[in-house]
Amino acid sequence: MRHIRHFIRIACIPLVLAGCGSEDSGPSAFNPATNVDVTFSTFTLTEATDILLFSDLVLAVEPADSGDSADQDIAAGIRAQLAVFLELSYPDDDPTAIASVRNPLDLMRRVIGESAIGNFIDGRRYMSERIDDGQAGEYSNTTNNVSIRFTDQQALTDGLEVSEYSWRYPIVKWVYAPDSSNRVTRVINWVASGSFEANTTNPSATLGTQYLARDFQTSGYNDGARALTEGSIVIEGEREMAFVREYQGLNTDIVRIDGTAVGTNGGTEGGPEFDFAGETVDCLRIEMHYTDPSVAVFTSLDEPPQRDDPDNPGQTEANPDYCLNVETPTTSYATTPTGLRN
């Protein structure tokens, strides 16, 4: 089921360019977004994997008690699910590290963080100027009706499907709202190219990040300015991973893995089943607390997101036995302190 909050709705380390630059279509007066069409040798990232989107969580779930096999199984199960949605691979000798990653969110984060594309640099500079002036501003490819496309040269050469070599981003935007949140919100949205079966959910990924205006920078990853990140990744098979990551105050991650609206038949059935730490489940919620390092896991099986409301015939209500609504964790354990957030 979709679990994205309101603010998302508004809204060269391993990158080897293979010869195609961006094509400018001319920025508008108040929005510098232009067409971006860039070819990379590959979308797979193998360097600086300690600064990927979820590398901190991969490390943070390591149990404090290395001898507790049950906790180790849970940690391995969490990493396995992250690998499915983010296309991660782990070194054989170190499950707390990441060997490679290949997904549209990490790729775009790397491109922006490494200042690999001039028009995105222009967008960040424009946001900084608007912050200095105390005026609202927007960088948006949708507002300017321009496109953003990345091509994987190796995948194209290998004859892989278009969804593997052509990644289009319908939305890349920064918005500064001084009169409401006084934060900069960045939204990245990717939707898979190609054709998919009728009555199925196309793979997609969305990442929204709020930055404190006073700390917003025009270069680098801007991690020190982050206040909140949330997003959703949908993969084939009607499975979805949604997440909310708070960097100020609570300092927590909440990751929810369940079925899409199609996969749960509109919320009336449990979603697609999967293995987690030796058990079969169809709903998984992970809560990671970084300040007092611990992780809590909530699971359910064959429980629909919604159930009939006994007080209102013909109406439904949230199912309290569905893992996203359960109050008591299935299991929890203390984790090894890392002090890292990515």
Side-chain angles (χ1 to χ4, degrees):
M1 303 291 286
R2 298 282 174 155
H3 314 290
I4 299 179
R5 291 185 185 178
H6 173 72
F7 90 78
I8 279 186
R9 297 190 181 100
I10 68 173
C12 242
I13 293 177
L15 300 176
V16 182
L17 295 180
C20 295
S22 61
E23 175 187 352
D24 290 348
S25 63
S28 68
F30 301 104
N31 180 355
T34 64
N35 287 320
V36 173
D37 191 349
V38 180
T39 297
F40 301 99
S41 59
T42 178
F43 290 160
T44 301
L45 308 179
T46 58
E47 298 181 34
T49 57
D50 58 333
I51 58 172
L52 297 171
L53 278 172
F54 283 90
S55 57
D56 50 357
L57 182 58
V58 167
L59 178 60
V61 298
E62 183 67 12
D65 184 354
S66 61
D68 191 316
S69 60
D71 292 351
Q72 291 289 343
D73 288 345
I74 294 294
I78 293 172
R79 292 172 180 136
Q81 289 303 310
L82 292 175
V84 170
F85 283 89
L86 298 164
E87 290 199 38
L88 306 177
S89 68
Y90 303 109
D92 293 336
D93 59 347
D94 185 4
T96 69
I98 297 173
S100 67
V101 64
R102 191 179 192 276
N103 69 71
L105 299 184
D106 269 304
L107 179 63
M108 181 61 79
R109 170 178 154 84
R110 182 62 58 86
V111 167
I112 294 172
E114 294 299 324
S115 300
I117 293 177
N119 189 239
F120 296 158
I121 299 173
D122 294 341
R124 294 174 70 174
R125 287 175 177 168
Y126 178 63
M127 288 296 101
S128 180
E129 292 170 1
R130 302 307 284 175
I131 292 170
D132 291 342
D133 293 339
Q135 299 293 321
E138 175 188 63
Y139 169 102
S140 171
N141 67 316
T142 54
T143 300
N144 278 6
N145 194 30
V146 295
S147 65
I148 296 175
R149 181 178 68 175
F150 295 162
T151 300
D152 182 328
Q153 184 63 56
Q154 187 62 55
L156 177 62
T157 301
D158 291 344
L160 301 184
E161 295 181 1
V162 64
S163 60
E164 294 294 330
Y165 69 77
S166 180
W167 285 0
R168 293 181 178 271
Y169 295 82
I171 301 173
V172 175
K173 69 189 301 182
W174 283 267
V175 177
Y176 175 51
D179 296 332
S180 54
S181 65
N182 194 34
R183 292 179 175 181
V184 176
T185 299
R186 185 188 71 191
V187 179
I188 298 167
N189 172 249
W190 166 87
V191 177
S193 302
S195 300
F196 298 89
E197 294 183 11
N199 302 316
T200 62
T201 308
N202 286 7
S204 64
T206 301
L207 177 68
T209 306
Q210 284 192 340
Y211 300 93
L212 302 177
R214 68 173 186 265
D215 299 324
F216 187 80
Q217 301 292 318
T218 60
S219 62
Y221 288 85
N222 247 335
D223 290 346
R226 284 179 307 179
L228 174 69
T229 293
E230 65 175 290
S232 177
I233 300 171
V234 175
I235 62 175
E236 291 188 71
E238 301 301 336
R239 297 189 62 204
E240 178 177 14
M241 181 179 87
F243 51 90
V244 177
R245 317 191 74 197
E246 299 199 39
Y247 301 92
Q248 307 288 328
L250 292 177
N251 200 17
T252 60
D253 288 344
I254 299 177
V255 179
R256 307 175 178 96
I257 297 175
D258 60 354
T260 63
V262 173
T264 60
N265 193 21
T268 63
E269 302 174 356
E273 297 179 357
F274 57 94
D275 178 76
F276 177 74
E279 302 290 335
T280 299
V281 303
D282 58 23
C283 182
L284 169 66
R285 182 169 107 239
I286 304 158
E287 296 187 359
M288 179 69 215
H289 300 269
Y290 288 86
T291 303
D292 180 17
S294 63
V295 64
V297 171
F298 306 76
T299 62
S300 62
L301 176 64
D302 295 330
E303 293 288 348
Q306 301 288 319
R307 69 176 186 181
D308 292 335
D309 185 346
D311 298 325
N312 296 285
Q315 302 295 316
T316 61
E317 63 179 6
N319 178 5
D321 296 323
Y322 191 57
C323 90
L324 304 192
N325 306 322
V326 172
E327 296 184 0
T328 302
T330 306
T331 186
S332 62
Y333 60 87
T335 59
T336 303
T338 64
L340 301 177
R341 294 307 309 273
N342 288 335

